[in-house]
Amino acid sequence: MAGPYVIRGSVSLPEAELTWRFSRSSGPGGQHVNTSDSQVELRFDLAGTEALPPVWKERALQRLAGRLVDGVVVVRSSEHRSQWRNRESAAVRLASLLAEATAPPPRPRKPTRIPRGINERRLQEKKQRAQTKRGRSGRDWT
């Protein structure tokens, strides 16, 4: 493994709180595929962890509510043919998922006013366009 997976700042995923499960992966792979457990399932107990600050933990529990099963986040990886690469992929995916879930909410958008000159120009163009279309009617031609 590449060491601790940083979520954000000095907070990282503690290796002791990660639970790994391995199983046979589906798809092509030749003769070796029938004997190797290359699919990785990584579990992280989000509700019971002490590694995250309380504010982050609350935010993540709220944002990941649809993905949690009894407070546990599960990430599966089977895109690579080697177990080691799938472990790396699952850990990185979990770290990025937690980083996104614990991120502070974006600043509220400050509404801006449209300058008066732009609005007047737009209304003037609308009047001009209406005048052009009004001139196309065939009422006066008889």
Side-chain angles (χ1 to χ4, degrees):
M1 297 298 306
Y5 292 95
V6 177
I7 295 174
R8 198 169 57 250
S10 63
V11 180
S12 61
L13 284 174
E15 189 67 40
E17 293 186 19
L18 300 178
T19 309
W20 301 91
R21 273 188 56 207
F22 308 103
S23 60
R24 293 202 177 116
S25 187
S26 63
Q31 296 168 344
H32 183 64
V33 77
N34 298 328
T35 59
S36 66
D37 294 335
S38 61
Q39 181 178 355
V40 172
E41 183 179 282
L42 176 58
R43 293 170 170 268
F44 180 67
D45 187 8
L46 186 58
T49 188
E50 295 297 322
L52 297 176
V55 176
W56 288 18
K57 186 173 163 180
E58 222 173 283
R59 205 180 289 155
L61 284 169
Q62 188 178 16
R63 289 183 182 168
L64 297 175
R67 278 194 72 147
L68 297 177
V69 178
D70 297 330
V72 177
V73 181
V74 179
V75 176
R76 283 193 182 91
S77 177
S78 63
E79 59 245 13
H80 304 290
R81 285 172 65 174
S82 79
Q83 186 188 96
W84 184 80
R85 288 180 66 191
N86 282 331
R87 281 177 65 124
E88 287 284 316
S89 173
V92 167
R93 200 177 313 154
L94 178 64
S96 67
L97 179 74
L98 289 174
E100 192 176 309
T102 58
R107 275 193 180 150
R109 182 186 169 275
K110 183 181 171 187
T112 56
R113 281 191 37 210
I114 299 172
R116 195 171 75 218
I118 291 176
N119 206 25
E120 286 175 0
R121 215 172 305 129
R122 180 182 63 85
L123 293 174
Q124 193 62 39
E125 287 170 7
K126 281 180 69 154
K127 283 180 185 170
Q128 182 64 41
R129 185 78 178 144
Q131 188 69 34
T132 302
K133 288 189 172 192
R134 216 175 293 123
R136 292 179 184 161
S137 64
R139 286 184 296 202
D140 304 346
W141 291 7
T142 55

